Amino acid sequence: MKKITYILLAVFSALTVNAQDFQGMAVYESKTTLPDMSKMGAPGGRDITPEMRKQIEERMKKALEKTFTLRFDKTASVYEEEEKLDAPGQDGGGMRMMASFMGGGGKHFKNVKEKRYVIEKEVFGKEFLIDDTLPKLTWKMESETKKIGNYTCYKATAVIPASKSDFRNLRMKKDDAKKDDTKKADEPKSTNFMDQMEIPKDVTITAWYSPEIPINQGPENYWGLPGLILEVTDGRTILLCSKIVLNTKEKAEIKAPTKGKKVTQAEFDDLVVKKMEEMRQMYQGQGGPGGMRPPRMN
C-alpha cells in the first residue's frame, strides 16, 4: 500500500511540475563546522587567550549560520542568501568578507537545460559576474532513504575537486598537525593561522533528493539528480531544506544576474587566491581574522 501511495505521489508531482507556469520555492539552512583553532597564534608572537579564541569562534560560527532561498521552475533557479543586519558593535565588514568566501552573498543562477551557471558576487569591494558551465557531477546512487519533512529522500554521493575560492573546507595542514604533536615545549609556535591551513584537493558530497519533486535542481551548484536536492553535506558544511512551497502564488523572476566584471570560475579563483595571499602577508599587522581589512581589487 505504501509503495502504491508513493507511486501516486510521484505521478502527481510530475504532472504538477509539467504545468507550463510551474514554480517552486525552497528554504535552506546552512551550518559549517569550524576548523581546529586551538593552535592559532596572535600577531607579534603572542598566544591568543582562551577568551579571545572563544570570541573569534563565536563570531565566525554566527557568520556561517545562513539562510538561503531557492526559487525554481522546470529548468532554471535562483539561489540567494537572506540578508541579516549586523549586531551593534560587530565588525560587519570583516565578517561579511569572510562569510563571502564561506558560501554566502550574491545571486546564484543556474539553468540545467543549458548546463550553465552565473553568480553575481562582490568581494574586496568589486563586483564580479562568474559565468561558466555547470560542473559535471558523477553521482553514485545509493539505496538508503530517509524522510526530510514530508518527503521521502534517497541518498547519492559524488567526489568533486575542491574550489580554491571556497574556504568552508579549510583544515589544518597534515604536516603541521604531525609537527605539532611532536613539537617540544620550548620550540617557537607559528603565529599565522592562515599559514597552518589548507584546502583539500577533493571533497565528498552527500546529497539527499526527493523524486516526489522531479526537478533537476538543488542549492548552489548541486544538480543532476532525479529530484529536488533537499540536503547536502559538502565537507564541513551542511545545507538542509526547512521549507518547500510548490506552485507559489507570486511568480518570481528567474533569470541570470548581469552586474559585475565577467569572469570564468577559474579566473575568479585565481584572483581570490592572489588577494588572500596578500591578506596572509598582512595578517600579523592587522590583528588576526576578526580585524583584517580586505585589500581592494584593482
Side-chain angles (χ1 to χ4, degrees):
M1 185 66 184
K2 288 184 178 179
K3 187 175 181 181
I4 294 174
T5 302
Y6 172 75
I7 293 173
L8 290 173
L9 283 171
V11 170
F12 176 75
S13 297
L15 291 173
T16 302
V17 167
N18 286 328
Q20 189 173 358
D21 61 347
F22 169 80
Q23 276 198 12
M25 182 269 289
V27 177
Y28 293 84
E29 311 291 338
S30 79
K31 291 186 181 295
T32 300
T33 303
L34 294 173
D36 181 13
M37 300 179 68
S38 61
K39 309 298 188 297
M40 184 173 73
R46 296 174 289 110
D47 286 337
I48 283 185
T49 65
E51 292 77 14
M52 188 186 301
R53 182 177 292 112
K54 183 179 179 181
Q55 184 182 40
I56 293 172
E57 288 177 348
E58 287 177 351
R59 291 173 65 186
M60 289 180 67
K61 181 181 178 183
K62 187 173 182 180
L64 296 176
E65 291 179 349
K66 304 170 181 293
T67 301
F68 299 88
T69 299
L70 178 74
R71 299 186 185 277
F72 54 85
D73 57 26
K74 290 184 292 183
T75 59
S77 66
V78 172
Y79 183 72
E80 293 183 272
E81 180 184 354
E82 292 186 4
E83 293 187 5
K84 295 179 181 178
L85 294 175
D86 295 323
Q90 182 173 324
D91 174 24
M95 286 296 106
R96 281 197 300 271
M97 177 194 66
M98 182 173 292
S100 71
F101 298 121
M102 299 288 188
K107 182 181 293 185
H108 193 138
F109 167 88
K110 64 179 180 287
N111 187 311
V112 297
K113 185 176 181 180
E114 298 175 354
K115 294 181 173 58
R116 169 180 174 245
Y117 71 95
V118 182
I119 304 174
E120 186 180 85
K121 201 174 187 70
E122 180 181 344
V123 291
F124 301 122
K126 186 169 183 177
E127 291 184 333
F128 290 91
L129 193 69
I130 307 168
D131 192 333
D132 217 320
T133 304
L134 277 171
K136 184 178 180 181
L137 302 176
T138 305
W139 292 106
K140 179 183 177 183
M141 314 300 277
E142 310 280 359
S143 59
E144 189 177 346
T145 66
K146 71 174 181 179
K147 281 279 192 178
I148 297 179
N150 295 323
Y151 295 92
T152 300
C153 296
Y154 289 82
K155 183 180 179 180
T157 58
V159 178
I160 64 172
S163 169
K164 295 179 182 178
S165 60
D166 188 339
F167 300 141
R168 286 174 294 183
N169 291 316
L170 275 173
R171 66 184 184 190
M172 190 173 183
K173 291 179 180 177
K174 292 182 180 180
D175 289 345
D176 285 354
K178 292 178 182 177
K179 289 177 183 177
D180 194 77
D181 290 339
T182 58
K183 187 179 291 185
K184 296 178 181 179
D186 58 346
E187 288 184 19
K189 182 188 294 185
S190 171
T191 60
N192 194 328
F193 176 61
M194 296 176 71
D195 278 344
Q196 303 170 39
M197 308 306 292
E198 67 178 359
I199 293 178
K201 292 181 179 179
D202 301 307
V203 290
T204 298
I205 309 300
T206 301
W208 294 88
Y209 67 95
S210 177
E212 296 172 30
I213 310 174
I215 294 293
N216 191 3
Q217 287 283 354
E220 297 189 8
N221 260 4
Y222 305 115
W223 70 292
L225 289 168
L228 180 65
I229 298 172
L230 300 187
E231 181 181 325
V232 178
T233 300
D234 177 347
R236 296 178 180 274
T237 299
I238 296 177
L239 291 167
L240 177 62
C241 183
S242 59
K243 179 181 179 181
I244 295 175
V245 179
L246 299 178
N247 283 324
T248 52
K249 293 181 180 180
E250 295 183 8
K251 302 302 179 184
E253 191 174 33
I254 299 176
K255 67 177 185 178
T258 58
K259 292 173 60 179
K261 179 182 177 181
K262 191 172 180 180
V263 293
T264 64
Q265 185 68 59
E267 290 170 339
F268 179 79
D269 289 348
D270 288 343
L271 285 167
V272 170
V273 169
K274 180 181 177 181
K275 290 300 177 181
M276 290 304 294
E277 174 60 21
E278 292 180 15
M279 289 180 64
R280 185 191 67 80
Q281 295 175 9
M282 294 162 55
Y283 178 92
Q284 288 189 338
Q286 296 194 8
M292 286 190 293
R293 296 187 294 274
R296 296 186 66 84
M297 290 286 192
N298 295 324

